[in-house]
Amino acid sequence: MDAVVLMDNLWVIIAGILVLLMQGGFILLEAGSTRMKNAGHIAGKTIFTIGIASLVFWAVGYGFIYGDGNKFIGLSSFFYGDASPADGGLTTSVDFFFQLAFAAIALTIAFGGFAERAKLSAYVIFAVLFSALVYPVVAHWIWGAGWLKDLGKQDFAGSTVVHLTGAMAALAATIVLKPRLGKYGKDGTMNQLSGHNQVYTALGVLILWVGWFGFNAGSTFGVSDGFFGYVALNTQLAAAAGAVAAMIVVRIMTGKADIPTTLNGALAGLVAITASCAFVAPWAAVVIGLVGGIIVYFSMKLFDKAKIDDPIFALSVHGAAGVWGTLSTGFFATPELAERNGGLAGLFYGGGFTQLGVQAIGILSCAAYAFVISYVILKVMKQVMGTIRVTEEEEMIGLDMSEHGSYGYPESFSAAEESSSNKKTTA
């Protein structure tokens, strides 16, 4: 193996590790954005569902994406075990690990729609079925030998494949599970069920931000020409613009620089640039991030008004920003970068509406597939299991105790219970 191939393989395996580390960011983001009584559950289910996603991806997921088959799905390379050496490029095992990390991220995004009300068994079954039947099909269409790839769909690192797919599954879950207890009053008013730790959410976003360089720059699959640095630059600019735009818009609209909105703005900028990071100029990356930060604020308000209870804001951050990011290449892709990475130049560079139309077709088809299949899976699960939601009593107690028998913060709850007991004794 020559030095260039060795460096390419080393970079991609490091990038895959960075993507896997993003799960730590999701743990802190999701736990911090929800209530203390569910924190241990959220952290624990993330770990074991990564395990499920990994095993399913090894068994069938990779084969459905990259195996020989047809324009809809791959049909070979199941129970993956190829140890072929590099032939002028990546070793197959390095590529497998990198792709596996992406599949696990999509599942984690989907689980945002389950937060604080789904049974543990629902997570297990949905993890298996989503990892086998939803994500791999969309990934095959765009990144495998699928029909959208043939059309020239541009999605460099997954605004559609990972983020929109996960968000549509989350939407299906929020609809089937219905809102959390106390989220909406009988008169239709919306009650704020605030997360318990904004420091956790901020640290989670920072971990995700750093991990995103594995996500985007790692998708160059090499370092020899230095293009991964260009992708990293666009990623950083979009994230920064998203955070600033969200903070400004929420300050204008509410008079307060709301922290969760600012954090979601950074994530929206990252999601938006994920499709286009290898296709656009740096100035366009700033615009894409700015628009992403604005979109995330108004979409959060829109979903709340529609009584769609999304505690982690997966629909806004990964769904709305994923749609915008996918469309953005149809506007901003430069002729040179489009020629290098596939597809056509964008509308603002004289490419007409062709690429924009392809991007829109990709959004509609992938979103519809991910939502419909996820919704059917959840409805069938509900029918077979009787319910996929915990009881009202279990939800009030919290999933830490009702599903696992212990709190994520045992000392805090023990102190609260002792204080309550003392007050009753005194009375």
Side-chain angles (χ1 to χ4, degrees), residues 99-159:
Q99 302 299 339
L100 183 156
F102 276 63
I105 291 292
L107 177 62
T108 300
I109 293 167
F111 281 150
F114 290 62
E116 297 201 298
R117 56 210 191 270
K119 284 185 171 182
L120 192 66
S121 55
Y123 281 105
V124 174
I125 297 169
F126 188 81
V128 173
L129 297 175
F130 177 88
S131 299
L133 302 177
V134 181
Y135 175 80
V137 173
V138 175
H140 178 77
W141 291 355
I142 298 173
W143 288 344
W147 64 278
L148 283 172
K149 184 174 184 178
D150 288 349
L151 286 179
K153 171 76 163 61
Q154 295 171 343
D155 190 10
F156 190 73
S159 287

Side-chain angles (χ1 to χ4, degrees), residues 267-324:
L267 293 177
L270 287 163
V271 170
I273 199 62
T274 296
S276 56
C277 54
F279 292 94
V280 302
W283 71 265
V286 173
V287 173
I288 291 167
L290 283 169
V291 174
I294 295 169
I295 285 174
V296 80
Y297 171 77
F298 289 104
S299 65
M300 287 161 58
K301 296 300 181 185
L302 178 64
F303 287 124
D304 257 342
K305 189 174 182 180
K307 295 184 174 56
I308 296 174
D309 185 14
D310 179 20
I312 318 301
F313 303 109
L315 306 181
S316 300
V317 170
H318 303 280
V323 168
W324 160 240

Side-chain angles (χ1 to χ4, degrees), residues 53 68 88 111 122 158 168 191 196 202 210 218 236 240 244 252 254 257 323 367 399:
D68 296 328
F111 281 150
M168 289 301 98
N191 300 312
H196 81 279
V210 172
Q236 178 69 14
V244 171
I252 291 172
T254 70
V323 168
L399 276 68

Side-chain angles (χ1 to χ4, degrees), residues 57-83:
F57 192 79
W58 165 71
V60 297
Y62 187 84
F64 284 155
I65 300 172
Y66 295 108
D68 296 328
N70 52 53
K71 297 301 179 184
F72 182 79
I73 196 168
L75 295 169
S76 66
S77 300
F78 301 131
F79 295 95
Y80 183 83
D82 193 343

Side-chain angles (χ1 to χ4, degrees), residues 15 35 54 142 153 330 378 404:
R35 289 165 291 180
S54 299
I142 298 173
K153 171 76 163 61
L378 289 164
H404 307 282

